[in-house]
Amino acid sequence: PYAGGAKDEDAFGKAFGKTVADIDTSFTAFVNERYGALAAAMTAPAPSAGRGGPPSIDTLTELATKQPGSFMAQWSLGAALLEAGQLDGARAALQRAAELAPMAQGDTSPRALLARIAEQQGDTARARAELRQLLTWDHDNVEAARKLATLARGVDADAEEFALRVVADIDPFDASAHAALGQRAMARKDFAAALVELQAALALGPANPAE
């Protein structure tokens, strides 16, 4: 495409049949279609008028009401209500935040806080669902995976196996995770998989050999 001394833009057009401007426009449209809603949700909310210091729950409620599409406005309200023990209100705000940014990660993310609320309210099924949603994006959150495995033990075989596999993948030196996976494989008569996991557990040995 550079034959005859063509410049970069001319060569690009000859090679791809489109100009650089065409590609730039189509890429911008793709990004806006795929991530436009998320970008808007992550924009910092407009501040409300008020005195200095941490905003009150009333102020945060007003902000969240005026800006329902703001992740930070919804998350801030949810976190504040959770801190105040107002679990139902916190759950509603955090659910909205989770819908605005489903890929949020960490122990203070909407899904993590929703799991905490569900556990406090005795709804372990909901807590398991929230933790599994969190782990869909937060792939290396081993503590969330361990919590899910504990909540799922004996009541949700699929969630327990998923959580144990995440633990074993993130922390391959966790002998208890390998042992549990081995026992589960034995129960379903998958002896080849059980052998791999139980051999791994034996190779790791006890955490405290003297004990």
Side-chain angles (χ1 to χ4, degrees), residues 4 35 37 47 54 58 76 79 89 93 109 121 134 159 164 169 180 195 199 211:
Y35 303 109
D58 287 342
S76 297
S109 65
Q121 293 182 324
L134 173 63
L164 288 170
D169 289 345
L195 185 62
Q199 284 180 330
E211 182 180 353

Side-chain angles (χ1 to χ4, degrees), residues 179-202:
L181 284 167
Q183 292 165 0
R184 292 192 57 76
M186 286 282 288
R188 64 174 183 269
K189 301 186 184 304
D190 187 350
F191 301 119
L195 185 62
V196 171
E197 297 296 345
L198 295 174
Q199 284 180 330
L202 284 172

Side-chain angles (χ1 to χ4, degrees), residues 66-109:
K66 289 181 177 179
Q67 302 182 56
S70 168
F71 170 82
M72 282 305 300
Q74 303 304 317
W75 177 87
S76 297
L77 174 60
L81 289 171
L82 175 57
E83 183 71 20
Q86 300 181 37
L87 302 186
D88 289 337
R91 184 173 64 190
L94 290 169
Q95 183 62 47
R96 177 59 178 160
E99 292 167 358
L100 290 168
M103 66 291 297
Q105 303 176 17
D107 294 334
T108 61
S109 65

Side-chain angles (χ1 to χ4, degrees), residues 164-182:
L164 288 170
R165 175 50 55 198
V166 172
V167 173
D169 289 345
I170 297 172
D171 183 5
F173 297 102
D174 188 326
S176 63
H178 289 292
L181 284 167

